[in-house]
């Protein structure tokens, strides 16, 4: 059977599990770009998310910056998903992942290998190469990828049990640039947790991804750069929850022509011929 | 190589000064190992991760990892990320 021809219908709301870890919230939140560390912490709490992304950078102040940030994150009681942001080759990403595993004491890694500075588009060749090495080395890889099904197949074959296709380029806030391809990917991988990662600008974008059946949404800038990041975090959490409930409830199919919702039978004056009234 | 240099100049081990880069900045050091370098740079007890010449060096290997001239040392810590 063609896996893409999946018929929409009601689905039971099973728990979301990443590599054996069950999370109650379907929102993953980045920790960068907030006006202050405290607002970041407050936004994470308001969102109810249980997974936050972090990174590692050169230490310049004798460890004080990193230590303070780590203390803040650890105090939130959430799962930490380190990224390899900024890496341009598989080698850089692999070494960064190894450093992140030691630093954050987790095997989870959001694997980014970036192909282009303007689009921050994933380098799918480097991504697959790095994923193959990291999966063999015991990592639990969350690859930041595109909707390309061939690359996705390779990632899954290498051992990835989560896929994170982009909605739009990182930081653009343009929403789901290619809904058709994302829908196809969902139908093609019904059993792999799929997370739309990047490009989300508004709660409606997140809801759209969830209505398609995506398992979760990962975002950062849309919350961090909001005028009120804490209330925007709440707005996203509600949209993601709504989208999930809608998906599980089985959305109606679109049609081209109008169809009355009010019953036609018994409509007053319905039996009168046009023009018969004086 | 280091032993030959030391042996040729003095009978007791000395700390050879070498030029390396740390987080992209070229500097000289007399540290023989990565652990000694971290200590000299006041990172003792600080949670960092390290790599040399693009290869990860686990914390458990820092005291035995010998530094060589031209090494590119990366010392990183936790940061915000998306």
């Amino acid at each position: 059977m063609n896996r893409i021809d999946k018929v929409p219908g009601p689905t039971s709301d099973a728990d979301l599990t990443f590599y054996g870890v069950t999370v109650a919230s379907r929102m993953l939140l980045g920790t960068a770009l907030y006006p202050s560390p405290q607002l970041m912490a407050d936004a994470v709490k308001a969102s109810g998310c249980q997974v936050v992304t972090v990174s590692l950078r050169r230490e310049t102040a004798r460890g004080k910056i990193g230590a303070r940030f780590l203390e803040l994150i650890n105090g939130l009681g959430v799962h930490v998903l380190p990224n390899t942001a900024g890496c341009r080759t598989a080698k850089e990403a692999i070494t960064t992942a190894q450093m992140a595993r030691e630093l954050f004491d987790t095997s989870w890694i959001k694997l980014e290998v970036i192909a282009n500075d303007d689009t921050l588009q994933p380098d799918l060749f480097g991504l697959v190469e790095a994923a193959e090495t990291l999966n063999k080395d015991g990592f639990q890889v969350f690859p930041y990828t595109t909707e390309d099904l061939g690359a996705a197949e390779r990632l899954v074959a290498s051992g990835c049990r989560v896929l994170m296709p982009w909605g739009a380029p990182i930081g653009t806030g343009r929403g789901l640039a290619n809904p058709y391809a994302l829908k196809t990917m969902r139908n093609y991988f019904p059993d792999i947790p799929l997370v739309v990662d990047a490009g989300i600008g508004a709660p409606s974008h997140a809801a759209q991804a969830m209505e398609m059946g995506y398992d979760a949404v990962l975002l950062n800038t849309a919350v961090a750069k909001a005028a009120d990041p804490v209330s925007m975090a709440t707005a996203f959490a509600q949209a993601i929850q709504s989208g999930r409930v809608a998906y599980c409830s089985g959305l109606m199919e679109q049609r081209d022509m109008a169809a009355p919702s009010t019953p036609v039978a018994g409509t007053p004056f319905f039996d009168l011929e046009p023009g018969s009234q004086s | 190589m280091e032993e030959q240099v030391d042996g040729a100049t003095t009978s007791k081990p000395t700390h050879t000064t070498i030029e390396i880069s740390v987080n992209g900045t070229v500097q000289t050091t007399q540290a023989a190992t990565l652990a000694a370098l971290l200590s000299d740079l006041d990172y003792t007890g600080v949670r960092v991760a390290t790599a040399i010449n693009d290869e990860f060096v686990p914390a458990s290997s820092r005291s035995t990892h010998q530094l060589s001239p031209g090494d590119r040392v990366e010392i990183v810590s936790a940061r915000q990320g998306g």
Side-chain angles (χ1 to χ4, degrees), chain B residues 1 11-12 16-17 29-30 41 43 45 51 53-55 57 59-60 66 74:
Chain B
M1 254 174 44
S11 57
K12 73 171 191 178
T16 311
T17 299
T29 182
Q30 293 191 332
L41 296 177
Y43 283 102
N53 302 334
D54 305 327
E55 298 289 343
V57 180
S60 56
Q66 300 287 319
E74 296 285 345

Side-chain angles (χ1 to χ4, degrees), chain A:
Chain A
M1 181 186 142
N2 187 340
R3 286 194 280 171
I4 294 177
D5 292 336
K6 188 186 167 197
V7 179
T11 310
S12 65
D13 194 10
D15 285 338
L16 174 57
T17 300
F18 296 126
Y19 293 103
V21 174
T22 300
V23 291
S25 166
R26 292 173 178 274
M27 180 167 168
L28 289 75
L29 191 57
T31 56
L33 301 174
Y34 292 82
S36 72
Q38 190 56 50
L39 273 172
M40 181 274 288
D42 291 346
V44 169
K45 285 179 200 156
S47 75
C49 80
Q50 296 178 344
V51 179
V52 298
T53 53
V54 295
S55 73
L56 45 81
R57 285 293 178 263
R58 287 171 167 170
E59 184 54 274
T60 52
R62 305 277 158 80
K64 292 191 177 62
I65 296 174
R68 275 200 301 271
F69 176 68
L70 208 50
E71 192 179 347
L72 183 64
I73 290 295
N74 288 339
L76 294 172
V78 293
H79 299 285
V80 169
L81 175 59
N83 69 29
T84 63
C87 290
R88 284 173 173 71
T89 65
K91 177 66 188 167
E92 286 177 12
I94 291 164
T95 302
T96 302
Q98 290 167 329
M99 291 194 288
R101 178 163 63 178
E102 185 180 83
L103 200 54
F104 294 104
D105 198 23
T106 176
S107 296
W108 284 11
I109 190 74
K110 175 183 163 179
L111 183 60
E112 296 182 42
V113 183
I114 298 302
N116 179 283
D117 283 343
D118 292 324
T119 62
L120 299 179
Q121 173 157 1
D123 171 4
L124 298 178
F125 304 96
L127 183 69
V128 169
E129 183 187 341
E132 285 171 346
T133 300
L134 292 172
N135 279 313
K136 279 182 197 153
D137 192 19
F139 281 88
Q140 296 176 319
V141 179
F142 295 61
Y144 165 61
T145 186
T146 68
E147 318 88 336
D148 188 286
L149 296 181
E153 287 266 35
R154 294 280 301 273
L155 291 166
V156 171
S158 79
C160 295
R161 292 295 171 266
V162 183
L163 295 171
M164 303 208 298
W166 62 352
I170 295 169
T172 60
R174 298 182 64 86
L176 309 186
N178 195 342
Y180 162 69
L182 287 171
K183 207 174 290 186
T184 302
M185 191 173 199
R186 173 70 286 178
N187 292 342
Y188 195 77
F189 294 103
D191 302 321
I192 298 274
L194 295 182
V195 182
V196 168
D197 175 10
I200 299 292
S204 54
H205 302 153
Q208 186 189 3
M210 297 305 294
E211 287 168 6
M212 278 182 191
Y214 272 74
D215 292 283
V217 172
L218 197 168
L219 71 151
N220 189 158
T221 312
V223 169
K225 290 293 191 184
D228 182 343
V230 178
S231 76
M232 188 60 82
T234 304
F236 269 99
Q238 290 171 347
I240 288 165
Q241 171 72 5
S242 289
R244 178 63 187 176
V245 174
Y247 171 71
C248 292
S249 305
L251 288 150
M252 66 168 280
E253 298 218 52
Q254 289 186 0
R255 47 188 292 157
D256 290 331
M257 300 304 290
S261 50
T262 303
V264 174
T267 304
F269 320 116
F270 187 68
D271 51 350
L272 297 177
E273 290 296 316
S276 65
Q277 284 180 295
S278 56

